[in-house]
Amino acid sequence: MYDGWKIILGLVVFVVIVTLPFTMSVGKTYVEPKPSIDTPEIQKMEKKQCIEPKQYMREMHIKLLYSWKDYATREGKRLYVASDGKTYTISLQNTCLKCHSNKEKFCDECHNYVNVKPYCWDCHIEPKVGGLK
Amino acid sequence: MITRRDFLKIAAFSSLLGLGGAFTINALEKEPGQKVLKDIKALKGKRWAMVIDTRKFKTQEDFEKVIRACHKAHNVPEIANPLHEVKWIWTDDYEHSFAGTAEEYISTEVKERKFLLLCNHCDNAPCVRVCPVKATFKRPDGITMQDMHRCIGCKFCMAGCPYGARNYNFLPPRDYIKELNPEYPTRTIGVVEKCTFCNERIDRGLLPYCVEASEGKIIFGDLYDPNSEIRKVLSENIVIRRKVELGTQPMVFYII
Protein backbone atom coordinates (compact mmCIF):
# COMPACT_ATOMS: atom_id res chain seq x y z
CA MET A 1 0.00 0.00 0.00
CA TYR A 2 1.56 3.28 -1.10
CA ASP A 3 1.32 6.12 1.44
CA GLY A 4 -0.42 3.72 3.82
CA TRP A 5 0.14 5.88 6.91
CA LYS A 6 -1.59 8.85 5.23
CA ILE A 7 -4.64 6.75 4.45
CA ILE A 8 -4.79 5.29 7.94
CA LEU A 9 -4.33 8.71 9.56
CA GLY A 10 -7.09 10.09 7.37
CA LEU A 11 -9.38 7.23 8.33
CA VAL A 12 -8.66 7.72 12.03
CA VAL A 13 -9.45 11.44 11.79
CA PHE A 14 -12.66 10.63 9.90
CA VAL A 15 -13.80 8.09 12.48
CA VAL A 16 -13.03 10.46 15.36
CA ILE A 17 -15.05 13.27 13.76
CA VAL A 18 -17.98 11.02 12.88
CA THR A 19 -18.22 9.57 16.38
CA LEU A 20 -17.77 12.96 18.07
CA PRO A 21 -21.47 13.37 18.96
CA PHE A 22 -21.34 10.05 20.80
CA THR A 23 -17.91 10.37 22.42
CA MET A 24 -18.64 13.90 23.62
CA SER A 25 -21.69 12.82 25.59
CA VAL A 26 -19.84 9.98 27.36
CA GLY A 27 -19.88 10.54 31.12
CA LYS A 28 -22.76 13.03 30.98
CA THR A 29 -25.84 11.94 32.86
CA TYR A 30 -28.97 11.55 30.79
CA VAL A 31 -31.78 13.73 32.05
CA GLU A 32 -35.14 12.72 30.67
CA PRO A 33 -37.44 15.66 29.99
CA LYS A 34 -40.52 15.44 32.18
CA PRO A 35 -43.21 17.84 31.03
CA SER A 36 -45.43 18.66 33.97
CA ILE A 37 -49.20 18.77 33.74
CA ASP A 38 -49.58 20.00 37.29
CA THR A 39 -51.64 23.14 36.79
CA PRO A 40 -54.76 24.23 38.72
CA GLU A 41 -56.91 23.88 35.61
CA ILE A 42 -55.76 20.32 34.87
CA GLN A 43 -56.04 19.28 38.54
CA LYS A 44 -59.70 20.22 38.39
CA MET A 45 -60.37 17.81 35.52
CA GLU A 46 -61.84 14.43 36.30
CA LYS A 47 -60.33 12.70 33.30
CA LYS A 48 -56.98 14.25 32.63
CA GLN A 49 -56.90 14.23 28.86
CA CYS A 50 -55.91 16.83 26.32
CA ILE A 51 -58.18 17.49 23.34
CA GLU A 52 -56.88 14.30 21.73
CA PRO A 53 -55.22 11.20 23.27
CA LYS A 54 -51.80 11.67 24.82
CA GLN A 55 -49.83 9.77 22.20
CA TYR A 56 -51.47 11.68 19.35
CA MET A 57 -50.76 15.01 21.02
CA ARG A 58 -47.19 13.98 21.69
CA GLU A 59 -46.53 13.20 18.04
CA MET A 60 -48.83 15.59 16.23
CA HIS A 61 -49.23 18.73 18.32
CA ILE A 62 -47.19 20.85 15.97
CA LYS A 63 -49.16 19.64 12.95
CA LEU A 64 -52.38 20.32 14.79
CA LEU A 65 -51.27 23.81 15.77
CA TYR A 66 -50.11 24.55 12.24
CA SER A 67 -53.46 23.56 10.78
CA TRP A 68 -55.31 25.45 13.55
CA LYS A 69 -53.44 28.60 12.65
CA ASP A 70 -54.48 28.31 9.02
CA TYR A 71 -58.10 27.38 9.74
CA ALA A 72 -58.58 30.29 12.13
CA THR A 73 -56.72 33.10 10.41
CA ARG A 74 -57.24 32.17 6.79
CA GLU A 75 -60.60 30.43 6.71
CA GLY A 76 -62.33 31.90 9.74
CA LYS A 77 -63.10 28.41 11.06
CA ARG A 78 -62.65 28.71 14.77
CA LEU A 79 -64.18 25.56 16.19
CA TYR A 80 -62.43 22.22 16.42
CA VAL A 81 -64.37 19.00 16.88
CA ALA A 82 -62.05 16.41 18.40
CA SER A 83 -62.24 12.71 17.58
CA ASP A 84 -64.30 12.13 20.74
CA GLY A 85 -66.89 14.66 19.54
CA LYS A 86 -66.06 17.45 21.98
CA THR A 87 -65.83 20.97 20.56
CA TYR A 88 -63.01 23.35 21.35
CA THR A 89 -62.30 26.94 20.35
CA ILE A 90 -59.28 27.13 18.06
CA SER A 91 -56.86 29.29 20.01
CA LEU A 92 -53.34 28.64 21.24
CA GLN A 93 -53.50 31.44 23.74
CA ASN A 94 -57.01 30.93 25.06
CA THR A 95 -57.53 27.16 24.71
CA CYS A 96 -54.17 25.37 24.95
CA LEU A 97 -52.60 27.67 27.48
CA LYS A 98 -55.69 27.86 29.64
CA CYS A 99 -54.91 24.34 30.83
CA HIS A 100 -51.18 24.31 30.15
CA SER A 101 -50.55 27.51 32.06
CA ASN A 102 -47.09 26.26 33.03
CA LYS A 103 -45.35 26.90 29.73
CA GLU A 104 -41.87 26.65 31.26
CA LYS A 105 -42.52 23.27 32.83
CA PHE A 106 -44.59 21.92 29.95
CA CYS A 107 -43.64 23.31 26.53
CA ASP A 108 -40.06 24.37 27.26
CA GLU A 109 -39.19 21.12 29.02
CA CYS A 110 -39.06 19.11 25.79
CA HIS A 111 -38.34 21.97 23.40
CA ASN A 112 -35.16 22.83 25.29
CA TYR A 113 -34.18 19.18 25.44
CA VAL A 114 -34.38 18.71 21.67
CA ASN A 115 -33.15 22.25 21.06
CA VAL A 116 -36.10 23.48 19.04
CA LYS A 117 -37.08 27.10 19.42
CA PRO A 118 -40.66 27.71 18.31
CA TYR A 119 -41.31 31.41 17.80
CA CYS A 120 -44.97 31.20 18.87
CA TRP A 121 -44.22 33.32 21.92
CA ASP A 122 -42.89 36.27 19.95
CA CYS A 123 -46.53 37.19 19.46
CA HIS A 124 -48.75 34.86 21.48
CA ILE A 125 -48.74 35.82 25.11
CA GLU A 126 -47.59 33.13 27.47
CA PRO A 127 -49.33 32.88 30.82
CA LYS A 128 -47.60 34.33 33.85
CA VAL A 129 -45.81 31.79 36.03
CA GLY A 130 -47.76 30.63 39.06
CA GLY A 131 -51.27 31.22 37.83
CA LEU A 132 -53.55 31.67 34.90
CA LYS A 133 -52.61 34.53 32.66
CA MET B 1 -32.19 -1.74 -24.29
CA ILE B 2 -35.51 -0.23 -23.21
CA THR B 3 -38.11 0.04 -25.94
CA ARG B 4 -40.08 3.18 -26.58
CA ARG B 5 -43.25 1.35 -25.55
CA ASP B 6 -41.78 0.20 -22.21
CA PHE B 7 -40.49 3.68 -21.49
CA LEU B 8 -43.95 5.18 -21.94
CA LYS B 9 -45.46 2.47 -19.75
CA ILE B 10 -42.98 3.20 -16.95
CA ALA B 11 -43.49 6.95 -17.29
CA ALA B 12 -47.27 6.62 -17.15
CA PHE B 13 -47.15 4.28 -14.17
CA SER B 14 -44.80 6.46 -12.17
CA SER B 15 -46.91 9.58 -12.79
CA LEU B 16 -49.90 7.61 -11.46
CA LEU B 17 -47.88 6.80 -8.37
CA GLY B 18 -47.17 10.49 -7.98
CA LEU B 19 -50.89 11.28 -8.06
CA GLY B 20 -51.48 8.63 -5.46
CA GLY B 21 -48.86 10.27 -3.30
CA ALA B 22 -50.70 13.56 -3.43
CA PHE B 23 -53.89 11.90 -2.18
CA THR B 24 -52.10 10.29 0.74
CA ILE B 25 -50.66 13.63 1.84
CA ASN B 26 -54.13 15.19 1.87
CA ALA B 27 -55.57 12.25 3.75
CA LEU B 28 -52.95 12.59 6.47
CA GLU B 29 -53.99 16.12 7.28
CA LYS B 30 -56.87 15.16 9.54
CA GLU B 31 -57.51 12.09 11.64
CA PRO B 32 -60.89 10.39 11.31
CA GLY B 33 -63.45 12.00 13.58
CA GLN B 34 -61.80 15.39 13.67
CA LYS B 35 -63.61 18.32 12.13
CA VAL B 36 -63.06 22.03 11.85
CA LEU B 37 -66.15 24.20 11.76
CA LYS B 38 -67.32 27.76 11.58
CA ASP B 39 -69.11 29.00 14.66
CA ILE B 40 -72.88 28.99 14.04
CA LYS B 41 -73.07 32.26 15.96
CA ALA B 42 -70.73 33.91 13.44
CA LEU B 43 -72.14 36.99 11.72
CA LYS B 44 -72.95 36.21 8.12
CA GLY B 45 -72.22 38.73 5.44
CA LYS B 46 -71.06 38.90 1.86
CA ARG B 47 -69.39 42.29 1.99
CA TRP B 48 -68.81 43.91 5.35
CA ALA B 49 -68.82 47.69 5.34
CA MET B 50 -68.89 50.54 7.80
CA VAL B 51 -70.60 53.92 7.94
CA ILE B 52 -69.14 56.54 10.25
CA ASP B 53 -71.55 59.32 11.18
CA THR B 54 -69.09 62.18 11.52
CA ARG B 55 -71.85 64.54 12.72
CA LYS B 56 -72.19 62.58 15.91
CA PHE B 57 -68.52 62.65 16.90
CA LYS B 58 -68.30 65.90 18.80
CA THR B 59 -65.79 65.80 21.60
CA GLN B 60 -62.27 64.47 21.79
CA GLU B 61 -63.57 61.89 24.24
CA ASP B 62 -65.93 60.48 21.58
CA PHE B 63 -62.95 59.62 19.41
CA GLU B 64 -60.70 58.48 22.20
CA LYS B 65 -63.25 56.05 23.56
CA VAL B 66 -63.41 54.28 20.21
CA ILE B 67 -59.66 54.31 19.62
CA ARG B 68 -58.92 53.10 23.13
CA ALA B 69 -61.39 50.22 22.84
CA CYS B 70 -59.66 48.96 19.69
CA HIS B 71 -56.07 49.57 20.66
CA LYS B 72 -56.42 48.12 24.12
CA ALA B 73 -58.12 44.94 22.95
CA HIS B 74 -55.69 44.33 20.11
CA ASN B 75 -52.51 45.11 22.05
CA VAL B 76 -51.55 47.99 19.77
CA PRO B 77 -48.36 49.61 21.06
CA GLU B 78 -48.35 53.31 21.96
CA ILE B 79 -45.29 54.84 20.40
CA ALA B 80 -45.02 58.62 20.53
CA ASN B 81 -42.48 59.03 17.72
CA PRO B 82 -44.55 59.41 14.50
CA LEU B 83 -41.82 57.64 12.52
CA HIS B 84 -42.36 54.44 14.48
CA GLU B 85 -45.98 54.74 15.55
CA VAL B 86 -48.45 51.90 15.10
CA LYS B 87 -52.17 52.58 14.78
CA TRP B 88 -55.25 50.67 13.74
CA ILE B 89 -57.74 53.50 14.03
CA TRP B 90 -56.89 57.19 14.29
CA THR B 91 -58.12 60.68 13.43
CA ASP B 92 -57.20 63.39 10.97
CA ASP B 93 -58.70 66.63 9.69
CA TYR B 94 -61.01 67.10 6.70
CA GLU B 95 -58.36 68.25 4.26
CA HIS B 96 -56.02 65.34 4.88
CA SER B 97 -58.70 62.69 5.24
CA PHE B 98 -60.23 63.50 1.88
CA ALA B 99 -57.14 64.72 0.07
CA GLY B 100 -57.91 65.47 -3.57
CA THR B 101 -61.67 65.54 -3.16
CA ALA B 102 -61.95 67.91 -0.16
CA GLU B 103 -64.23 70.80 -1.16
CA GLU B 104 -62.52 74.09 -0.53
CA TYR B 105 -65.68 76.13 0.10
CA ILE B 106 -67.46 73.69 2.38
CA SER B 107 -68.68 75.01 5.75
CA THR B 108 -66.01 75.78 8.30
CA GLU B 109 -67.76 73.45 10.72
CA VAL B 110 -66.97 70.49 8.45
CA LYS B 111 -63.47 71.80 7.76
CA GLU B 112 -62.78 71.80 11.47
CA ARG B 113 -64.22 68.37 12.10
CA LYS B 114 -62.03 65.40 12.89
CA PHE B 115 -62.55 62.14 11.03
CA LEU B 116 -62.02 58.60 12.26
CA LEU B 117 -59.72 56.77 9.90
CA LEU B 118 -59.00 53.07 9.65
CA CYS B 119 -58.28 50.38 7.07
CA ASN B 120 -60.92 50.73 4.35
CA HIS B 121 -61.09 47.00 3.58
CA CYS B 122 -61.14 47.93 -0.09
CA ASP B 123 -62.99 45.69 -2.49
CA ASN B 124 -60.06 46.07 -4.85
CA ALA B 125 -57.30 46.23 -2.28
CA PRO B 126 -53.85 47.20 -3.57
CA CYS B 127 -52.17 45.76 -0.46
CA VAL B 128 -53.53 42.30 -1.33
CA ARG B 129 -52.26 42.57 -4.88
CA VAL B 130 -48.72 43.54 -3.91
CA CYS B 131 -48.17 41.14 -1.03
CA PRO B 132 -45.57 38.67 -2.32
CA VAL B 133 -46.34 35.95 0.25
CA LYS B 134 -50.15 36.22 0.36
CA ALA B 135 -49.97 37.23 4.00
CA THR B 136 -52.58 39.87 3.20
CA PHE B 137 -55.62 38.40 1.53
CA LYS B 138 -59.35 38.95 1.01
CA ARG B 139 -61.74 36.86 3.01
CA PRO B 140 -64.91 35.81 1.18
CA ASP B 141 -66.85 38.27 3.37
CA GLY B 142 -64.75 41.17 2.09
CA ILE B 143 -62.43 41.65 5.03
CA THR B 144 -58.86 42.46 4.06
CA MET B 145 -57.17 40.13 6.47
CA GLN B 146 -53.54 39.81 7.36
CA ASP B 147 -51.95 36.55 8.43
CA MET B 148 -49.23 37.63 10.84
CA HIS B 149 -47.66 34.19 10.66
CA ARG B 150 -46.76 34.76 7.04
CA CYS B 151 -45.78 38.42 6.97
CA ILE B 152 -42.12 38.86 6.04
CA GLY B 153 -42.10 42.59 6.70
CA CYS B 154 -41.26 43.65 3.12
CA LYS B 155 -43.46 46.78 3.47
CA PHE B 156 -44.84 46.48 -0.11
CA CYS B 157 -48.36 46.80 1.32
CA MET B 158 -47.42 50.02 3.07
CA ALA B 159 -46.32 51.44 -0.27
CA GLY B 160 -49.46 50.08 -1.92
CA CYS B 161 -52.01 51.38 0.57
CA PRO B 162 -53.17 54.90 -0.36
CA TYR B 163 -54.75 55.45 3.05
CA GLY B 164 -51.74 55.02 5.33
CA ALA B 165 -53.57 52.28 7.16
CA ARG B 166 -50.53 50.09 7.58
CA ASN B 167 -47.69 50.42 10.03
CA TYR B 168 -44.44 48.56 10.35
CA ASN B 169 -43.16 47.43 13.72
CA PHE B 170 -39.78 49.12 13.78
CA LEU B 171 -39.56 48.64 17.55
CA PRO B 172 -40.40 45.59 19.65
CA PRO B 173 -44.12 46.27 20.23
CA ARG B 174 -44.36 44.62 23.64
CA ASP B 175 -42.13 47.28 25.18
CA TYR B 176 -44.76 49.89 24.32
CA ILE B 177 -47.94 48.18 25.49
CA LYS B 178 -48.95 49.42 28.90
CA GLU B 179 -51.47 46.73 29.70
CA LEU B 180 -51.46 43.47 27.77
CA ASN B 181 -54.78 41.92 26.83
CA PRO B 182 -54.00 38.25 27.51
CA GLU B 183 -56.70 37.07 25.11
CA TYR B 184 -55.21 38.54 21.96
CA PRO B 185 -51.68 38.12 20.63
CA THR B 186 -49.27 40.98 20.17
CA ARG B 187 -47.19 41.38 17.05
CA THR B 188 -43.47 40.95 16.78
CA ILE B 189 -40.77 43.32 15.54
CA GLY B 190 -40.48 43.32 11.76
CA VAL B 191 -44.08 42.77 10.68
CA VAL B 192 -46.70 45.12 9.28
CA GLU B 193 -50.07 45.42 10.98
CA LYS B 194 -53.44 47.07 10.51
CA CYS B 195 -57.12 46.93 11.43
CA THR B 196 -58.69 43.54 10.67
CA PHE B 197 -62.36 44.63 11.02
CA CYS B 198 -62.32 42.50 14.21
CA ASN B 199 -62.74 39.34 12.15
CA GLU B 200 -62.11 37.31 15.31
CA ARG B 201 -65.21 38.92 16.81
CA ILE B 202 -67.33 38.59 13.67
CA ASP B 203 -66.49 34.88 13.64
CA ARG B 204 -67.94 34.68 17.15
CA GLY B 205 -71.03 36.72 16.35
CA LEU B 206 -69.90 40.02 17.84
CA LEU B 207 -69.60 43.47 16.30
CA PRO B 208 -66.20 45.16 15.98
CA TYR B 209 -64.89 46.90 19.11
CA CYS B 210 -65.05 50.37 17.56
CA VAL B 211 -68.70 49.89 16.57
CA GLU B 212 -69.56 48.74 20.06
CA ALA B 213 -67.67 51.57 21.76
CA SER B 214 -69.12 54.25 19.47
CA GLU B 215 -72.65 53.68 20.81
CA GLY B 216 -74.43 54.09 17.51
CA LYS B 217 -72.11 56.55 15.84
CA ILE B 218 -70.65 53.82 13.63
CA ILE B 219 -72.87 51.45 11.69
CA PHE B 220 -71.52 48.10 10.56
CA GLY B 221 -73.21 45.62 8.27
CA ASP B 222 -73.49 43.67 5.06
CA LEU B 223 -73.43 45.95 2.04
CA TYR B 224 -74.85 43.23 -0.22
CA ASP B 225 -77.91 42.67 1.95
CA PRO B 226 -80.60 45.12 0.75
CA ASN B 227 -82.47 44.84 4.05
CA SER B 228 -79.50 45.55 6.30
CA GLU B 229 -79.29 48.59 8.54
CA ILE B 230 -76.22 49.82 6.75
CA ARG B 231 -78.08 49.93 3.43
CA LYS B 232 -80.88 51.88 5.08
CA VAL B 233 -78.40 54.39 6.48
CA LEU B 234 -76.64 54.67 3.12
CA SER B 235 -79.90 55.28 1.27
CA GLU B 236 -80.98 58.01 3.68
CA ASN B 237 -77.76 59.99 3.92
CA ILE B 238 -75.22 61.49 1.58
CA VAL B 239 -71.90 59.84 2.14
CA ILE B 240 -68.36 60.30 0.91
CA ARG B 241 -65.46 57.89 0.79
CA ARG B 242 -61.72 58.42 0.85
CA LYS B 243 -59.85 58.62 -2.48
CA VAL B 244 -62.52 56.86 -4.59
CA GLU B 245 -60.79 58.16 -7.70
CA LEU B 246 -58.08 55.54 -7.20
CA GLY B 247 -60.54 52.72 -7.85
CA THR B 248 -59.78 50.78 -4.71
CA GLN B 249 -63.48 50.66 -3.74
CA PRO B 250 -63.12 51.53 -0.05
CA MET B 251 -65.73 50.01 2.25
CA VAL B 252 -65.77 52.75 4.88
CA PHE B 253 -68.33 55.50 4.26
CA TYR B 254 -68.52 58.90 5.96
CA ILE B 255 -71.75 60.81 6.58
CA ILE B 256 -70.90 64.49 6.37
Side-chain angles (χ1 to χ4, degrees), chain B residues 219-245:
Chain B
I219 299 103
F220 183 84
D222 184 4
L223 202 63
Y224 287 1
D225 174 9
N227 302 317
S228 62
E229 195 201 345
I230 195 166
R231 284 285 290 271
K232 192 168 163 273
V233 172
L234 284 173
S235 65
E236 288 168 356
N237 295 280
I238 292 185
V239 291
I240 54 172
R241 285 186 283 174
R242 298 182 69 202
K243 302 185 185 176
V244 270
E245 71 278 13

Side-chain angles (χ1 to χ4, degrees), chain A residues 55-68:
Chain A
Q55 193 57 32
Y56 179 81
M57 291 311 293
R58 200 175 262 181
E59 290 165 8
M60 304 289 275
H61 66 279
I62 189 61
K63 270 196 139 175
L64 188 89
L65 288 172
Y66 259 135
S67 63
W68 270 26

Side-chain angles (χ1 to χ4, degrees), chain B residues 12 24 32 37 42 54 78 98 110 113 181 187 189 208 212 249:
Chain B
T24 356
L37 303 171
T54 64
E78 272 179 57
F98 300 98
V110 173
R113 261 186 223 169
N181 170 17
R187 266 68 56 198
I189 189 168
E212 208 177 72
Q249 289 297 331

Side-chain angles (χ1 to χ4, degrees), chain A residues 52 56 60 63-64 67-85 87 89-91 93-94 119-126 133, chain B residues 28-40 75 133-137 139 145-147 149-150 174 180-188 199-200 203-204:
Chain A
E52 296 287 346
Y56 179 81
M60 304 289 275
K63 270 196 139 175
L64 188 89
S67 63
W68 270 26
K69 154 200 99 149
D70 286 339
Y71 283 122
T73 53
R74 300 198 80 88
E75 294 176 33
K77 293 178 180 167
R78 292 174 189 269
L79 291 179
Y80 175 80
V81 185
S83 42
D84 61 359
T87 309
T89 306
I90 292 185
S91 170
Q93 218 167 295
N94 300 326
Y119 44 80
C120 315
W121 319 108
D122 288 1
C123 294
H124 291 277
I125 301 169
E126 58 186 85
K133 286 164 190 172
Chain B
L28 275 176
E29 208 174 50
K30 259 182 276 164
E31 298 291 303
Q34 297 175 16
K35 265 186 289 183
V36 185
L37 303 171
K38 276 197 176 163
D39 199 328
I40 41 162
N75 291 323
V133 291
K134 289 190 179 166
T136 300
F137 60 98
R139 296 199 344 164
M145 173 65 181
Q146 190 183 352
D147 185 349
H149 304 98
R150 277 203 199 180
R174 277 200 194 173
L180 279 175
N181 170 17
E183 290 183 2
Y184 197 81
T186 65
R187 266 68 56 198
T188 180
N199 67 90
E200 81 284 0
D203 288 343
R204 278 189 293 145

Side-chain angles (χ1 to χ4, degrees), chain B residues 6 26-27 30 38 52 59 77 83 98 111 115 143 149 155 165 169 176 214 235 240:
Chain B
D6 283 342
N26 286 337
K30 259 182 276 164
K38 276 197 176 163
I52 298 176
T59 61
L83 285 173
F98 300 98
K111 273 189 180 173
F115 295 85
I143 295 178
H149 304 98
K155 311 191 195 77
N169 280 288
Y176 298 88
S214 76
S235 65
I240 54 172

